[in-house]
Amino acid sequence: MDKIKMLTPVVELDGDEMTRVIWQWIKDVLIFPYVDLKSEYYDLSLVNREATKDQVTKDAAAAIDRLGVGVKCATITPNAQRMTEYSLSSMWKSPNGTIRAALDGTVFREPIMASGISPLVPAWTSPIIIARHAYGDVYKDVEALCPKGSKAELVITSEGEEKRILIADYVKSGGVALGMHNLDSSIRSFAKSCFNYALTKGLDLWFSSKDTISATYDHRFKDIFQEEYDANYKAAFEEKGITYFYTLIDDAVARVMRSKGGFIWACKNYDGDVMSDMLATAFGSLAMMTSVLVSPSGKFEFEAAHGTVTRHYYRHLKGESTGTNPIATIFAWTGGLKKRGELDGTPDLVRYAELLEKATIETVESGYMTGDLKAIFKKDGVEPVALTTMEFLHKIAERLEKAL
Ligand code: NAP
Ligand code: MG
């Protein structure tokens, strides 16, 4: 069989620990035999981030901006313990944060579904993709304790003019106060990323906030989304047969629980933080969750939502075989290659990526999986078998081979 050709490279961001090991195995077993892989490679391992003073992360972000599609392996975010372990000269920032800031992007978390791995909400038969605005609100607030007898005011100065708004008079009791903000530019980028991703996926977009109570702050979000939709996306949405729908956060929560899934839910920063953890848990497993960074200008970076699976890595170093689940990392690759194929107009690459996803899911559905999934797998007539990562990758390759 001729290998599938690529026109433009994907930006490949290698990472750390167990996921770095699996990264190479996925390429060896599932990609190289079938695809003439073109990639522009950046080594984001902590060792190389230290060696390059983190320049490699900035270069990788610039490459995604230039080429349009990146695929990223999980990376260590340094903490005090990692400083010692890797003799770091600085506590380098999370690469995900650096790349997100460079591309001004929004992260979409997307569960991978397979029969036998059932969501805790039985009605959910399709994925619910969550988009979290990653700037401002309570994450960039200022807070103060206000003693009894004090007064808190919001003061806004503009061109010498001063506007004061009373927050509270602490007459009967002391208390607390908080000031937070957001930026039109950031909200607009968030909205654009959401609309772009809904078009890419062909899925409805929901956006929720609390604009009835927060009639200026949250209302600003609602207005900017609507402006962007009307000005730049309405026609394309209608053509695709998808809808944009705004609702109150409490109504959204109720609708989500009753829904069948199959839509994108855009949330403000705090709502997205909380709701994404709830959805990830309810869909079954962190190892079955992918994450896509989408920039307002339509650049994409795909990765697994989980970390570098440190404990498995130390077992691997001792020579033990581990059953680390590679599915989210496989889907990072298929997401990136599929997008590359769509942008380049290379249907063979798109088809390969789709068949690899199908082969992966069907392997699980037929009873072959890693231990983490065996623990939650329930399907009539199928007795699950736990495999090591390598055995599982070869099972997938057998199916893929037949399908291709
Ligand atoms: P983690 O790597 O996601 O692992 C947490 C635990 O979840 C694992 O110990 C394992 O449980 C289970 N798990 C996660 N992924 C799995 C998989 N694919 N297959 C099987 N089990 C899986 O999170 P962490 O231990 O909090 O973080 C480890 C490192 O990853 C940290 O240095 C952190 O900075 C980094 N991190 C990176 C990213 C990213 O790059 N996007 C995201 C999160 C964390 P058992 O050990 O019980 O089997
Ligand atoms: Mg959280």
Side-chain angles (χ1 to χ4, degrees):
M1 192 188 86
D2 282 346
K3 286 195 196 178
I4 293 156
K5 294 270 178 291
M6 291 178 64
L7 291 181
T8 316
V10 289
V11 183
E12 175 181 350
L13 291 75
D14 209 343
D16 289 298
E17 299 193 315
M18 199 61 214
T19 39
R20 185 182 179 92
V21 175
I22 292 176
W23 191 258
Q24 187 61 46
W25 288 351
I26 290 172
K27 288 198 286 179
D28 289 342
V29 178
L30 296 174
I31 300 179
F32 290 149
Y34 312 102
V35 179
D36 202 354
L37 182 69
K38 272 195 181 175
S39 85
E40 199 171 297
Y41 180 87
Y42 293 84
D43 181 3
L44 264 64
S45 65
L46 191 47
V47 172
N48 196 45
R49 276 179 276 152
E50 169 67 22
T52 61
K53 302 285 173 235
D54 208 28
Q55 185 58 37
V56 66
T57 308
K58 291 169 195 148
D59 293 346
I64 296 173
D65 201 26
R66 175 165 43 84
L67 292 170
V69 182
V71 186
K72 181 179 170 289
C73 178
T75 46
I76 293 168
T77 301
N79 55 16
Q81 183 247 320
R82 300 292 198 173
M83 293 280 290
T84 324
E85 185 184 352
Y86 284 85
S87 310
L88 300 181
S89 60
S90 167
M91 200 185 282
W92 307 113
K93 290 218 170 75
S94 146
N96 294 60
T98 303
I99 297 164
R100 195 171 62 210
L103 297 177
D104 190 17
T106 297
V107 173
F108 296 79
R109 275 187 145 204
E110 182 164 351
I112 301 159
M113 298 182 75
S115 72
I117 315 287
S118 305
L120 299 176
V121 179
W124 294 350
T125 50
S126 298
I128 297 169
I129 301 172
I130 204 150
R132 169 184 172 188
H133 184 212
Y135 177 83
D137 300 353
V138 79
Y139 301 84
K140 264 199 186 310
D141 71 350
V142 289
E143 309 190 355
L145 287 174
C146 308
K148 187 175 173 189
S150 68
K151 178 165 88 170
E153 288 177 305
L154 194 60
V155 182
I156 295 151
T157 44
S158 168
E159 294 171 354
E161 300 266 320
E162 197 178 84
K163 189 169 151 192
R164 303 179 87 87
I165 305 165
L166 178 71
I167 298 172
D169 264 320
Y170 297 86
V171 179
K172 290 194 190 130
S173 162
V176 283
L178 164 161
M180 64 182 199
H181 82 286
N182 222 298
L183 300 174
D184 286 357
S185 56
S186 175
I187 301 167
R188 200 170 296 282
S189 291
F190 174 50
K192 281 180 181 292
S193 296
C194 291
F195 289 124
N196 280 334
Y197 200 54
L199 284 170
T200 284
K201 299 291 288 187
L203 292 176
D204 291 346
L205 175 68
W206 299 14
F207 175 52
S208 57
S209 78
K210 192 70 178 175
D211 68 292
T212 45
I213 300 294
S214 176
T216 302
Y217 195 110
D218 277 20
H219 211 282
R220 189 82 193 128
F221 282 75
K222 181 183 175 184
D223 284 347
I224 290 176
F225 265 73
Q226 195 63 46
E227 271 169 39
E228 275 301 320
Y229 179 67
D230 291 341
N232 299 317
Y233 296 96
K234 193 163 189 274
F237 266 55
E238 282 169 3
E239 197 180 316
K240 268 247 153 141
I242 57 175
T243 54
Y244 166 61
F245 163 65
Y246 174 83
T247 189
L248 276 175
I249 179 81
D250 17 12
D251 179 50
V253 170
R255 284 174 188 259
V256 163
M257 296 307 286
R258 287 195 306 264
S259 78
K260 296 198 185 77
F263 54 90
I264 299 169
W265 182 15
C267 291
K268 289 181 62 209
N269 209 348
Y270 174 81
D271 299 339
D273 183 355
V274 177
M275 291 303 160
S276 67
D277 280 342
M278 188 196 72
L279 286 180
T281 308
F283 269 102
S285 167
L286 194 58
M288 298 291 275
M289 186 68 72
T290 56
S291 137
V292 190
L293 176 75
V294 182
S295 83
S297 57
K299 316 288 163 122
F300 297 79
E301 184 215 48
F302 297 81
E303 74 165 333
H306 60 76
T308 58
V309 213
T310 311
R311 283 204 286 162
H312 293 215
Y313 181 58
Y314 285 103
R315 297 214 311 265
H316 168 79
L317 288 182
K318 278 194 242 155
E320 290 172 38
S321 303
T322 68
T324 315
N325 188 338
I327 293 180
T329 306
I330 294 173
F331 273 66
W333 273 106
T334 55
L337 293 175
K338 207 191 306 180
K339 186 87 240 163
R340 192 67 272 167
E342 281 165 17
L343 294 173
D344 288 353
T346 48
D348 283 356
L349 188 62
V350 176
R351 177 170 170 270
Y352 157 81
E354 284 171 355
L355 288 177
L356 175 51
E357 289 183 354
K358 191 159 173 272
T360 305
I361 299 293
E362 284 176 358
T363 303
V364 173
E365 291 177 339
S366 70
Y368 298 99
M369 62 201 75
T370 47
D372 59 314
L373 293 185
K374 180 172 184 263
I376 55 173
F377 187 88
K378 264 202 193 77
K379 191 171 170 182
D380 282 346
V382 182
E383 191 51 50
V385 182
L387 304 176
T388 64
T389 306
M390 206 32 138
E391 289 167 343
F392 180 59
L393 293 176
H394 281 291
K395 273 276 176 216
I396 297 170
E398 276 171 33
R399 256 176 207 275
L400 176 63
E401 189 103 6
K402 282 192 201 123
L404 282 167

